[in-house]
């Protein structure tokens, strides 16, 4: 009886994985196609790659596309328990961790750009020039690399040389050899979370004050900017909740493997895929200039076909 039960449980889990993986593949492909279409539209018009908010928007699209692609591969490898050398997993995980952090940091930078545009319009051209934007992108990647450097440093200090030649299922959790390493990683992300939340709240309060004082066309533009900040805040919240997912999944794994697969599937859809599909919504479809360029590009493509 025990053997039959075990067999039925194994078949159930295999069916569950076989059902969930294709759903994720379809969703990832849809989001990647949309992102590719938006990135192509971005490079079609010169005004887009000379404007700060559109450049930062393109950075989020590229970052999200890369992250979706790589995390999807890691998900497939994990589901089917496929192993690889630890040294190769380290390289992949560090890059994934970098771009996992790039998106929320870029969203914070985009919120600051909206704050400058609405609350300091006379200085917007000076502070958000093309040169400043390039520097901003370098700063974003520099700040985003700090968690990767911290995690990597404590891992190198703790792992033995033989560990790098072993074959393991690739996951960011491979870096966590001791409980204190997990605490340090959580502390770093908590500091980032607090700083980003403070920045979002500060920008929201300042823009709200300007929105109340504005009138006519100015008021409409300001309220639109405020809605953009709210959407950024919601997107950022989903990205930040994703930081807590590994702790939840670890606790659930102690209860049941089947429940763990369900929870991981839900968290991947809600806190990994969902925030990445909000970027096209905020600047791709809500922005009139970009949306018109997108429509023009899509129609031209259809006519050409």
């Amino acid at each position: 009886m025990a053997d039959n039960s075990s067999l039925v449980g194994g078949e159930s889990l295999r069916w569950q994985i076989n059902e969930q993986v294709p759903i994720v593949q379809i969703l990832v492909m849809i989001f990647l196609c949309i992102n590719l279409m938006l990135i192509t539209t971005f490079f079609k018009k010169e005004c887009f790659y000379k404007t700060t908010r559109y450049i930062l928007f393109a950075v989020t699209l590229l970052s999200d596309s890369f992250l979706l692609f790589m995390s999807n591969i890691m998900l497939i490898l994990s589901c089917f328990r496929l192993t690889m050398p630890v040294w190769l997993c380290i390289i992949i995980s560090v890059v994934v961790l970098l771009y996992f952090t790039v998106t929320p940091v870029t969203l914070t930078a985009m919120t600051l750009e909206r704050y400058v545009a609405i609350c300091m319009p006379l200085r917007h051209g000076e502070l958000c020039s093309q040169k400043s934007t390039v520097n901003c992108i370098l700063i974003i990647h520099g700040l985003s690399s700090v968690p990767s450097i911290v995690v990597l440093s404590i891992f190198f200090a703790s792992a033995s040389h033989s560990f790098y030649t072993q074959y393991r299922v690739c996951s960011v959790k491979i870096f966590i050899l001791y409980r204190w390493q997990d605490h340090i990683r959580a502390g770093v992300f908590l500091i980032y979370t607090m700083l980003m939340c403070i920045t979002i709240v500060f920008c929201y309060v300042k823009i709200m004050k300007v929105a109340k004082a504005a009138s006519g066309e100015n008021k409409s533009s300001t309220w639109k900017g405020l809605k953009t900040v709210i959407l950024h805040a919601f997107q950022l919240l989903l990205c930040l909740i994703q930081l807590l997912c590994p702790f939840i999944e670890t606790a659930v794994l102690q209860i049941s493997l089947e429940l763990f697969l369900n929870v991981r599937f839900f968290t991947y859809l809600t806190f990994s895929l969902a925030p990445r599909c909000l970027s096209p919504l905020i600047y791709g479809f809500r922005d009139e200039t970009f949306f018109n360029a997108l429509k023009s590009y899509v129609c031209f493509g259809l006519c050409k076909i």
Side-chain angles (χ1 to χ4, degrees):
M1 287 291 289
D3 289 340
N4 288 340
S5 173
S6 173
L7 183 63
V8 170
E11 289 296 327
S12 172
L13 289 175
R14 194 177 295 111
W15 175 84
Q16 194 174 5
I17 290 171
N18 290 339
E19 182 192 35
Q20 291 176 355
V21 171
I23 293 171
V24 171
Q25 301 317 299
I26 292 167
L27 291 172
V28 167
M29 286 302 297
I30 290 169
F31 292 145
L32 285 176
C33 287
I34 291 171
N35 284 359
L36 181 62
M37 192 168 59
L38 293 170
I39 290 165
T40 306
T41 304
F42 169 79
F43 286 107
K44 286 285 180 180
K45 290 192 77 173
E46 189 179 350
C47 67
F48 292 145
Y49 50 86
K50 286 190 173 179
T51 307
T52 298
R53 73 174 185 271
Y54 294 124
I55 295 171
L56 293 177
F57 170 53
V59 170
T60 61
L61 288 177
L62 290 167
S63 170
D64 289 345
S65 299
F66 177 79
L67 188 64
L68 281 174
F69 179 74
M70 292 305 299
S71 63
N72 185 48
I73 289 174
M74 290 177 75
L75 181 71
I76 292 169
L77 293 174
S78 177
C79 281
F80 294 102
R81 311 300 295 172
L82 299 174
T83 61
M84 66 171 65
V86 169
W87 63 266
L88 180 59
C89 179
I90 290 169
I91 295 170
I92 294 171
S93 298
V94 165
V95 178
V96 168
L97 189 59
L98 168 65
Y99 282 96
F100 172 76
T101 317
V102 162
T103 295
V105 174
T106 307
L107 287 173
T108 308
M110 291 171 83
T111 303
L112 284 170
E113 187 276 331
R114 288 294 80 202
Y115 160 72
V116 172
I118 293 167
C119 300
M120 306 166 66
L122 298 178
R123 298 200 62 195
H124 184 259
E126 175 195 345
L127 295 174
C128 300
S129 64
Q130 202 170 4
K131 184 181 177 182
S132 300
T133 306
V134 172
N135 292 334
C136 180
I137 292 169
L138 293 174
I139 291 168
I140 286 168
H141 281 77
L143 290 172
S144 302
S145 65
V146 173
S148 300
I149 292 169
V150 171
V151 170
L152 203 59
S153 298
I154 59 177
F155 172 75
F156 285 155
S158 308
S160 63
H161 292 293
S162 60
F163 186 74
Y164 302 110
T165 57
Q166 294 178 16
Y167 280 73
R168 297 285 184 93
V169 175
C170 191
S171 166
V172 176
K173 291 177 185 176
I174 205 170
F175 292 106
I176 309 302
L177 301 176
Y178 303 101
R179 183 65 64 86
W180 61 269
Q181 292 175 323
D182 209 13
H183 292 158
I184 291 174
R185 187 185 68 157
V188 171
F189 280 116
L190 182 61
I191 292 168
Y192 268 66
T193 302
M194 288 175 64
L195 290 174
M196 287 187 282
C197 288
I198 290 167
T199 304
I200 293 282
V201 170
F202 169 80
C203 292
Y204 177 83
V205 171
K206 290 290 184 181
I207 294 172
M208 178 67 84
K209 287 181 181 178
V210 173
K212 286 182 177 178
S215 59
E217 272 186 43
N218 229 357
K219 195 177 187 72
S220 173
S221 174
T222 305
W223 278 106
K224 189 176 180 182
L226 190 64
K227 287 176 184 175
T228 301
V229 171
I230 293 169
L231 282 170
H232 279 325
F234 178 66
Q235 189 179 9
L236 189 60
L237 177 65
L238 292 178
C239 289
L240 296 175
I241 289 174
Q242 192 181 3
L243 299 175
L244 302 174
C245 292
F247 302 105
I248 297 168
E249 289 169 8
T250 302
V252 169
L253 185 57
Q254 307 302 319
I255 302 169
S256 162
L257 179 58
E258 187 174 355
L259 182 60
F260 166 76
L261 290 172
N262 282 325
V263 168
R264 187 174 60 175
F265 181 64
F266 172 77
T267 56
Y268 184 75
L269 292 182
T270 310
F271 305 119
S272 188
L273 288 184
R276 270 78 202 173
C277 74
L278 281 176
S279 290
L281 172 67
I282 295 171
Y283 276 110
F285 303 121
R286 283 183 69 250
D287 187 276
E288 190 178 347
T289 307
F290 199 94
F291 183 65
N292 287 336
L294 178 64
K295 265 198 310 185
S296 173
Y297 166 67
V298 171
C299 290
F300 176 76
L302 288 173
C303 292
K304 195 175 179 182
I305 290 169

